[in-house]
Amino acid sequence: MSRAMVRSEEITLKGHEHESNATFNFESYMVQKAISINQALDAAIPFKGHHNKIQEAMRYSLLAGGKRARPVLCIAACELVGGTESIAMPAACAIEMIHTMSLIHDDLPCMDNDDLRRGRPSSHKVFGEAVAVLTGDALLALAFDHITSVSTMGVPPTRVVHAIKVLAKSVGHEGLAAGQVADISSEGLSVSDIGLEQLEFIHLHKTAALFEGTVAVGAILGGGSNEEIEKLRRFARYIGLLFQVVDDILDVTKSAQELGKTAGKDLVADKITYPKLMGIDKSREFAEKLNKEAQDSLSGFDSVKAAPLFALANCIAHRQN
C-alpha cells in the first residue's frame, strides 16, 4: 500500500460528511492490525516440521501475506459496537482461514486454473491437487473449531452460536459456494445471455456474502444491536460488490507482477465481467457509486470509531492490486 494512497485516504476521511475532522492514520492502523492478525494466524497452526504435509500446506497458503481486509473488517466492526480486538480475533482468524480455503480451491485446474497466488505458486502447484483440496477442507474445519475459543473470553454462548451460524451461511449453498457455481456456469456465455442482475447475483454470493458475514460476526460478538448489525451488513454488501468490480477492472488493466496473480484470466476463461458488460469507464463510475453507498450506510455511527471502515471502503475502491 503506497503512502500516496494513505494520504489520499486521510484527505477523504476528513472531507466525508459523516466524518469528524480528525486525521485517521490508516497506514498505522492497518500495519498494527496486520501484525496482530498474522501473529494469531501463526499461533493457530504452529509449525511441527516438514513431515506434516497437510499442516505445512495450510501454513504455506494461510501465512502467504495478503491484504487481510476481511479479518480487519471483523475486528473493526466488533470495536465499532463496543467490543475489543481480543474478542474479535478468533473470528477474524477463522474468516481468513475460510477466505484462504476459497482461494486454494479457486486456483485449482477444475475451477479457475491459476498457477499464481499472492505472488508465488498456488497451493496445487507446490503440493499437488489432492493435497490442495484437502488443505482447503482442513482450513474450513479449523475455522469453525477456532472461532469457538471466544467462548472462553466471557462472550455469551448465544452470541457465539449466532456468529457461527451467520458465518456458515455466508460460505455455504446460500453464499460463497452458490456464487462459485453460478460463476462457473456463466463461463462461455455471451453478454446477451447474462445481464447485470445475474452478474450481481454471482458476486453478491461469491464475494460479498463473506464480507457481510465478516462484519456481522464481528458485530455480534461485540454485542451490537440488531440495527447496528443490519447497518454493517448493508455496508459490507456494498464493499463486497465494490471489491469485485475493482477486481474485474484490475484484471484487464494490470500485469501479473502488479497483481501478484495471473492477469487477464477472466478474459481467457471467457467470463462475464463488469468491464465486459459495462465497459471500463462505466465500471469505474459504478465502483465510485458503490463506495458512496457503502459509506452512507455507516451514517449514525460514531465517526471516530467508524474511521477504519470508511478508510477500508476507500482503500478497496482505489486499490491497485
Side-chain angles (χ1 to χ4, degrees):
M1 185 180 303
S2 70
R3 291 186 179 275
M5 184 182 294
V6 172
R7 286 195 294 270
S8 174
E9 295 300 332
E10 290 177 341
I11 291 169
T12 303
L13 284 170
K14 288 186 286 184
H16 196 280
E17 63 180 346
H18 300 308
E19 285 295 294
S20 69
N21 289 323
T23 299
F24 173 68
N25 191 328
F26 183 52
E27 181 181 38
S28 176
Y29 178 86
M30 289 298 290
V31 168
Q32 184 271 315
K33 293 300 184 191
I35 290 172
S36 297
I37 291 163
N38 288 333
Q39 289 175 342
L41 289 171
D42 185 43
I45 312 178
F47 181 65
K48 294 181 180 177
H50 294 289
H51 63 280
N52 192 324
K53 193 172 218 180
I54 185 71
Q55 186 202 56
E56 182 183 359
M58 291 166 76
R59 287 177 59 86
Y60 175 84
S61 294
L62 187 63
L63 304 179
K67 303 172 189 68
R68 306 302 192 211
R70 291 160 188 81
V72 171
L73 276 168
C74 180
I75 294 169
C78 184
E79 292 178 329
L80 177 59
V81 299
T84 63
E85 180 182 299
S86 60
I87 286 175
M89 189 59 76
C93 289
I95 287 159
E96 188 64 16
M97 291 172 190
I98 291 171
H99 175 53
T100 301
M101 171 278 295
S102 74
L103 298 181
I104 292 171
H105 285 176
D106 201 42
D107 289 338
L108 289 168
C110 63
M111 300 277 277
D112 274 5
N113 193 23
D114 203 323
D115 295 344
L116 193 65
R117 175 64 66 178
R118 289 174 170 170
R120 59 181 185 169
S122 300
S123 178
H124 69 276
K125 299 301 293 183
V126 177
F127 299 98
E129 290 179 36
V131 173
V133 171
L134 293 169
T135 298
D137 294 344
L139 283 169
L140 181 61
L142 179 60
F144 288 100
D145 176 45
H146 195 71
I147 196 174
T148 62
S149 64
V150 75
S151 62
T152 65
M153 301 177 186
V155 178
T158 52
R159 285 190 203 168
V160 180
V161 172
H162 187 191
I164 289 173
K165 183 175 181 179
V166 166
L167 186 57
K169 188 173 180 178
S170 74
V171 182
H173 71 282
E174 295 183 29
L176 189 153
Q180 285 281 33
V181 171
D183 190 33
I184 292 169
S185 301
S186 73
E187 291 181 13
L189 298 180
S190 68
V191 292
S192 60
D193 295 320
I194 291 188
L196 278 173
E197 185 176 344
Q198 176 64 10
L199 188 60
E200 186 172 288
F201 173 89
I202 291 171
H203 296 308
L204 280 175
H205 290 76
K206 180 182 176 182
T207 306
L210 187 55
F211 274 100
E212 187 176 340
T214 292
V215 297
V217 165
I220 290 165
L221 294 176
S225 66
N226 289 337
E227 182 183 0
E228 289 172 325
I229 293 168
E230 184 50 43
K231 276 188 175 183
L232 286 166
R233 278 182 176 274
R234 189 162 55 249
F235 165 79
R237 281 194 292 273
Y238 284 126
I239 65 166
L241 197 53
L242 170 63
F243 189 95
Q244 189 60 53
V245 174
V246 173
D247 211 51
D248 284 356
I249 294 169
L250 294 176
D251 189 61
V252 294
T253 59
K254 298 292 181 180
S255 67
Q257 184 177 4
E258 290 172 306
L259 294 176
K261 60 182 179 180
T262 305
K265 64 178 183 178
D266 290 339
L267 186 63
V268 172
D270 200 20
K271 287 187 177 182
I272 300 296
T273 64
Y274 283 97
K276 189 172 182 179
L277 207 58
M278 305 170 69
I280 293 288
D281 291 340
K282 289 291 184 183
S283 296
R284 285 179 173 142
E285 288 176 14
F286 185 42
E288 289 302 320
K289 180 175 180 287
L290 290 169
N291 187 19
K292 182 182 183 304
E293 289 174 334
Q295 298 199 33
D296 287 345
S297 299
L298 297 175
S299 176
F301 283 113
D302 180 277
S303 60
V304 175
K305 289 183 178 180
L309 295 178
F310 284 113
L312 277 164
N314 282 328
C315 183
I316 289 170
H318 304 294
R319 66 191 179 95
Q320 298 300 309
N321 58 33

